[in-house]
Amino acid sequence: MRNRVVLLLLLFLVFIVFLVTAAIFNVRILLFFTTALFLSLLLYYSVLTIAGLYSRLKYQKVPEIDHYPGVDILIPAHNEGIVLQDTIEAMVSIMYPGDLQIYILNDNSADNTGEIADAFAATFKHVHHINVPPGEPRGKSRVLNYGLSISNNKYYCVYDADNQPEPDALVKLVATAETYEDAGGAVGYVRTQNESKNWLTRMISIEFQVFQLLMQSGRWQLFKTGSLTGTNMLVKRSVIEALGGYDPYAIAEDAELTLRITQKGFFLPIVPTSITWEQEPETLSVYLKQRTRWLQGNLYIVEKTLMEPGYFKGKLLVHSIHQLLVYVIFWFFLVLSYVWFALGILNVFYIEYTYPLLFIWYLAYVVYTIQLFAAQAAQRTFTPINIFVSVIMYFTYAQLFSYLFVRSLILYIKAKKNRQMIGWEKTTRFKSK
């Protein structure tokens, strides 16, 4: 595996050297290549936006079904005392006509997580406090695998320990999954509970409206495929058992499981009206740690898609290309634009060209901002402050991606070089007011 990683990095460096050489000796070829690729990227996301809007506008009510099979709710919890009481109160308020069992999977917490779980387990017979044995690798995947081993209903539904699902969220997921014969489960929508806390939480909320709902709806409309979101997600037990459970080394366990479910021929319908409310990072330091973990997890998935056969076939092609677009090609364009800008400012490397690159930059900004507005229009979350935040997000929030990618890539390569497991870093919670 180490040799494969080194080979992949060498190929990437060769590609970069080739482009730099082309820039020096044949600028027009480089400009044509990058312009065509970038415009294709913008076109793809524009089509997804339109398809997502169409899907949201034509979305019909979730059909009712005659029988609601049993569901196990799995809640991984490690030092979640600050938010857990509100979470379990929301869980016991879920309206579900079938058998519902709620498992709080206490992953060796050192705070009052266990006390809170015990109090609810003593009050509600369908709430269970489960102490997960210590083990390696640490993280959500291992905890979920243990939760699957001590539960037995037809479906399981994952909620993070800071989630507060709406009472009808689970009913809608199950009814949708039961309606489609080849559904491996169903995926709901995650909204930001603390959106109005500050500009950062507001930007995260808008980002989720675009990439976690609008783009999801677009992929479902065009390709009849969806992606698991890590929370408010339903999966058939028979499917996860056929796949051998979660990959314990995947720290972006939702994205990794999505690929394997799709590879087996199942799909994951999107249910935009199944809503859970989640707390998002309120400080930049917490946000950077959370997104570094997410990016490292997705780099692991990129490595798997490139190194293992079968990831570029059928509907799985949509997810594999998405991983490469976001975590390789998009980052390349950002770095190229930064280097080009810096060299031009320093008069180190100046090019006279006739290509409308400035127009393309404006086009990228316009497309990105229209996506933000379109998502808010579909979700009816337009406010004066949201409009202002959307206008500046391209220059602020979106640009953090480059720093996060470089930081994550360095840590990922370092861990691979030293044969270390990439550690799971829990997201810090904040007290609700």
Side-chain angles (χ1 to χ4, degrees), residues 74-81 84 103-115 117 128-147 161 248 251 293 423-427 429:
L74 305 181
I75 308 172
H78 175 69
N79 294 334
E80 300 285 6
L84 190 60
Y103 295 89
I104 300 125
L105 305 174
N106 187 356
D107 184 20
N108 301 280
S109 299
D111 64 353
N112 62 337
T113 293
E115 297 172 14
H128 313 279
H129 175 206
I130 306 298
N131 286 301
V132 179
E136 294 291 340
R138 294 182 298 112
K140 186 176 177 180
S141 295
R142 183 183 66 84
V143 173
L144 288 174
N145 279 336
Y146 186 79
I251 55 178
R293 171 168 59 84
W424 177 276
E425 190 163 2
K426 177 185 171 298
T427 301
R429 309 298 188 195

Side-chain angles (χ1 to χ4, degrees), residues 272-320:
T273 57
S274 172
I275 297 171
T276 190
W277 295 84
E278 180 178 81
Q279 185 186 96
E280 302 303 337
E282 295 181 358
T283 65
L284 186 60
S285 61
V286 173
Y287 169 82
L288 293 176
K289 289 180 181 179
Q290 180 199 62
R291 295 308 173 95
T292 297
R293 171 168 59 84
W294 289 8
L295 273 168
Q296 286 180 291
N298 280 286
L299 287 172
Y300 173 79
I301 295 170
V302 168
E303 180 185 343
K304 288 188 70 170
T305 59
L306 293 175
M307 295 301 177
E308 297 179 10
Y311 280 95
F312 292 90
K313 297 179 180 178
K315 290 186 178 181
L316 190 58
L317 179 66
V318 176
H319 297 288
S320 299

Side-chain angles (χ1 to χ4, degrees), residues 249-268:
Y249 298 97
I251 55 178
E253 81 295 332
D254 49 352
E256 193 280 334
L257 184 58
T258 295
L259 292 178
R260 288 192 288 140
I261 288 176
T262 307
Q263 193 175 40
K264 285 292 184 180
F266 298 98
F267 56 86
L268 298 160

Side-chain angles (χ1 to χ4, degrees), residues 64-70 96-99 154-155 174-175 178:
E64 294 185 3
I65 56 177
D66 296 330
H67 171 68
Y68 286 86
Y96 189 71
D99 180 42
K154 179 179 179 179
Y155 288 96
V174 174
E178 286 285 287

Side-chain angles (χ1 to χ4, degrees), residues 15 18-19 22 26-40 329 332-333 336 355:
F15 179 63
F18 166 76
L19 291 175
N26 199 329
V27 175
R28 291 184 179 276
I29 291 178
L30 175 64
L31 289 176
F32 178 80
F33 173 79
T34 55
T35 300
L37 194 57
F38 188 64
L39 287 176
S40 299
I329 297 175
F332 163 73
F333 279 124
L336 183 64
Y355 287 85

